[in-house]
Amino acid sequence: MALVELEAGRWRTTRDLLLQTGSHWTLRTSRTQLLAVAAARSDVVAVWLSEEPGSYEAQVMNARVAVELALRAHRQRHAGAPEFEERARFAALLAARRGPYDPVPWLCLLALAQVDVQQHRREHREQSTEPMLPSGPWGLLYEVNQRDPYNREAYHRVLQFMLGRQTPRGASLAAVFDFGRWVVSQRPVGSPLLLLPAYAHVEQRRHHGAQARIDPLWRRQWAEDPSLGYTLDAFHDWFQKADAGLRSVADLNHLAYALWAGHQYVEAAEVFAAMGVYAAREPWASVYDGAAPSGPGETLLLRARAESLSFAHSHTPRAGPHP
């Protein structure tokens, strides 16, 4: 309802929703991020802030929208990208001062790190306490963790930063894998961050493009350790233990693919059942290796779902006849 209202230029439902969300940081993080994508298409949040200048919720959403616009400008290589970044940084810092316990303003600052691909800002090239990891926005990640440990968006923002940073040799996929392994080694039970190695694996596929698409060993990697071990840990320690209402469609799709590719069809069927009628474009579009008459990756998604559900159905023990 809040999304529909934003599209119509009305902000009161968004305000009420965020007030009800309160300090439930998981929901607050995902809701502000999603609402900002819709709000960035108009000046609805600017109108809200002008009408309620004392509203902290309006200030946070203003920062979120400013970051969304800065990221879009960066992706599109817009000439005004630096100005968008400065406005977003200023809005995020204002919100951080106003809400010292809220992780969202710090998430905004962390998101902006991926715009600084050459790491000009000192806060984006701090040394990690983990020797195998490169320099990066570790202080910003620390600030988010102080407010919401193992915040999903925070770690994915770092992953995006590492994929986009400029080095003499370009993005280091080895560092991306090291980051994913480092996170899961901390055993964040109940956290979707257990899926970070799977995300890193898919990024490898996307990075290598056509060359990886003809690699006959691609799917086999998912059925062998350590990939299979990471996938099963995510299934048992996140999917089966987390609040079902807080599992994102993106994470469910990555887990479903990883289980199917690893030949864990019974577990994959359980994840597909949890997805219901919802699906995401990724990872299917990036790992599909054939023609897609109905859309990128859709053929593979339907195939994986059908194979998993069929296998699970055929291997379900059936009750014997009543005596």
Side-chain angles (χ1 to χ4, degrees):
M1 187 181 298
L3 287 169
V4 171
E5 291 288 293
L6 284 176
E7 294 284 358
R10 296 187 287 268
W11 48 265
R12 295 185 185 279
T13 306
T14 293
R15 178 197 59 189
D16 295 343
L17 176 63
L18 294 181
L19 287 173
Q20 293 165 14
T21 305
S23 60
H24 191 313
W25 301 132
T26 301
L27 277 180
R28 186 174 183 82
T29 297
S30 61
R31 284 175 172 171
T32 54
Q33 183 183 15
L34 181 61
L35 290 165
V37 174
R41 302 187 186 109
S42 69
D43 63 348
V44 59
V45 170
V47 172
W48 175 13
L49 191 59
S50 67
E51 294 185 15
E52 291 190 344
S55 169
Y56 174 66
E57 309 299 338
Q59 199 166 17
V60 168
M61 283 301 301
N62 184 56
R64 275 292 202 184
V65 169
V67 169
E68 176 65 21
L69 293 174
L71 293 178
R72 291 183 188 179
H74 172 67
R75 287 192 296 266
Q76 298 166 4
R77 300 185 179 182
H78 192 283
E83 288 75 20
F84 280 104
E85 179 190 1
E86 285 300 323
R87 284 198 293 269
R89 187 175 305 281
F90 181 71
L93 288 171
L94 282 179
R97 293 193 192 101
R98 177 83 180 275
Y101 303 109
D102 190 349
V104 173
W106 292 97
L107 283 168
C108 290
L109 293 170
L110 188 55
L112 290 173
Q114 62 192 284
V115 176
D116 185 15
V117 293
Q118 295 182 333
Q119 296 177 275
H120 290 304
R121 290 186 175 273
R122 181 180 299 177
E123 65 196 62
H124 300 156
R125 47 183 165 87
E126 295 183 359
Q127 293 300 312
S128 171
T129 56
E130 180 58 42
M132 66 180 180
L133 296 177
S135 60
W138 304 113
L140 296 175
L141 179 63
Y142 172 82
E143 294 291 347
V144 178
N145 271 327
Q146 289 296 101
R147 294 159 176 81
D148 184 26
Y150 296 116
N151 179 283
R152 179 192 182 279
E153 183 186 342
Y155 285 83
H156 278 268
R157 292 296 188 185
V158 173
L159 191 68
Q160 292 164 1
F161 165 82
M162 296 176 74
L163 287 166
R165 74 191 187 107
Q166 283 188 1
T167 65
R169 298 183 180 179
S172 171
L173 287 173
V176 172
F177 275 105
D178 287 340
F179 177 63
R181 287 191 288 261
W182 172 68
V183 173
V184 300
S185 70
Q186 300 173 46
R187 304 299 304 169
V189 174
S191 170
L193 295 179
L194 290 168
L195 278 167
L196 274 183
Y199 276 91
H201 209 23
V202 171
E203 288 298 335
Q204 179 194 40
R205 175 79 163 199
R206 184 182 296 112
H207 180 78
H208 289 296
Q211 181 181 353
R213 291 179 185 277
I214 60 175
D215 182 0
L217 300 179
W218 165 253
R219 185 173 176 185
R220 186 182 302 176
Q221 298 175 41
W222 293 92
E224 298 174 349
D225 283 328
S227 295
L228 181 58
Y230 291 139
T231 299
L232 290 175
D233 285 346
F235 176 78
H236 293 295
D237 290 340
W238 169 64
F239 176 78
Q240 292 192 321
K241 294 181 180 180
D243 183 343
L246 298 178
R247 297 185 304 216
S248 77
V249 175
D251 290 333
L252 288 173
N253 276 258
H254 277 77
L255 180 57
Y257 173 78
L259 289 167
W260 170 80
H263 307 292
Q264 307 300 304
Y265 300 114
V266 174
E267 291 83 358
E270 192 172 338
V271 178
F272 277 115
M275 286 165 53
V277 299
Y278 299 99
R281 183 177 184 274
E282 297 293 347
W284 313 101
S286 292
V287 300
Y288 188 54
D289 57 2
S294 54
E298 185 175 340
T299 301
L300 181 61
L301 166 62
L302 296 175
R303 172 189 162 194
R305 183 179 185 277
E307 288 181 1
S308 300
L309 295 176
S310 176
F311 182 92
H313 178 75
S314 64
H315 288 74
T316 300
R318 289 176 173 77
H322 292 288

